[in-house]
Amino acid sequence: MNRWFALIPLAILVALTVLFVGWSLKRDPAFKPDAIVGKPIPETVLPILTGDAAGPGQVDLKTAGVGRPMIVNVFASWCAPCRAEHPQLMRLKAQGVAVVGVAYKDDPIATRAFLDELGDPYRMVLVDREGRAGLDLGVSGVPESFAVDAMGKVVAKASGPLIDPAEADRLAAAIQAPPRALPTAR
């Protein structure tokens, strides 16, 4: 009878393995949640990166675009994919696209060194040391980018690095699309 008790942990482990494998087979690895698309960008007040520190001035993420469309890029100096997407962000800047950076859980000194080394593609950089904005935006990891129209509504999202120029152009096109006309009542 004691032998049967010894097999209980093994049976539990086998059951958990079967459950995990079954869940993995049903899960779509290409699924990227876009819960914030179609909603206003969250109101999150963050300090502005000035020099190599978070400055005394603060900006609400919602008003960072000042009534103009923008791409909000959540990045970090410690993030290798953020380095890989950097050339695309520089290209967007050269095309006149306003990109606002959110330095996610990063030290301002490291953020400034990162931007000095690779170039600064951002119109402004906000410091999110505690990850508050990342939580408000529903960020699952860095980098992530959000296309925000002039009214402050998130119109598109890209999870992961913007390595493919077509993906970066898709975000830029989303904020440059003319607004849809409202239907008229008859």
Side-chain angles (χ1 to χ4, degrees):
M1 176 120 168
N2 287 338
R3 289 184 194 178
W4 293 109
F5 285 123
L7 294 176
I8 290 175
L10 181 61
I12 291 172
L13 181 63
V14 168
L16 288 174
T17 302
V18 168
L19 285 173
F20 177 73
V21 168
W23 174 79
S24 295
L25 291 175
K26 291 181 182 179
R27 186 177 160 272
D28 180 7
F31 174 73
K32 297 177 183 172
D34 293 338
I36 196 168
V37 174
K39 297 181 180 172
I41 192 151
E43 295 180 21
T44 305
V45 178
L46 297 170
I48 301 170
L49 181 70
T50 56
D52 60 356
Q58 295 192 336
V59 172
D60 184 342
L61 187 57
K62 188 170 192 151
T63 60
V66 192
R68 294 183 1 204
M70 64 180 169
I71 293 177
V72 175
N73 177 252
V74 183
F75 75 103
S77 65
W78 44 263
C79 163
C82 297
R83 285 182 174 274
E85 81 171 354
H86 209 79
Q88 292 304 320
L89 296 174
M90 294 297 285
R91 186 176 65 81
L92 289 175
K93 177 183 180 180
Q95 293 174 352
V97 176
V99 183
V100 173
V102 176
Y104 180 73
K105 293 188 176 184
D106 205 359
D107 178 38
I109 294 171
T111 301
R112 176 51 55 203
F114 176 82
L115 296 174
D116 288 346
E117 176 187 345
L118 299 176
D120 189 349
Y122 303 110
R123 191 169 155 266
M124 85 173 52
V125 177
L126 304 176
V127 179
D128 186 23
R129 286 192 81 152
E130 292 82 33
R132 187 175 64 227
L135 187 62
D136 291 345
L137 289 166
V139 171
S140 58
V142 290
E144 284 192 19
S145 300
F146 303 86
V148 182
D149 69 10
M151 301 305 292
K153 184 171 92 175
V154 178
V155 293
K157 174 185 172 189
S159 297
L162 295 174
I163 297 172
D164 182 9
E167 182 71 2
D169 292 341
R170 179 187 69 85
L171 282 181
I175 61 173
Q176 294 170 355
R180 294 183 187 146
L182 297 174
T184 56
R186 294 187 184 209

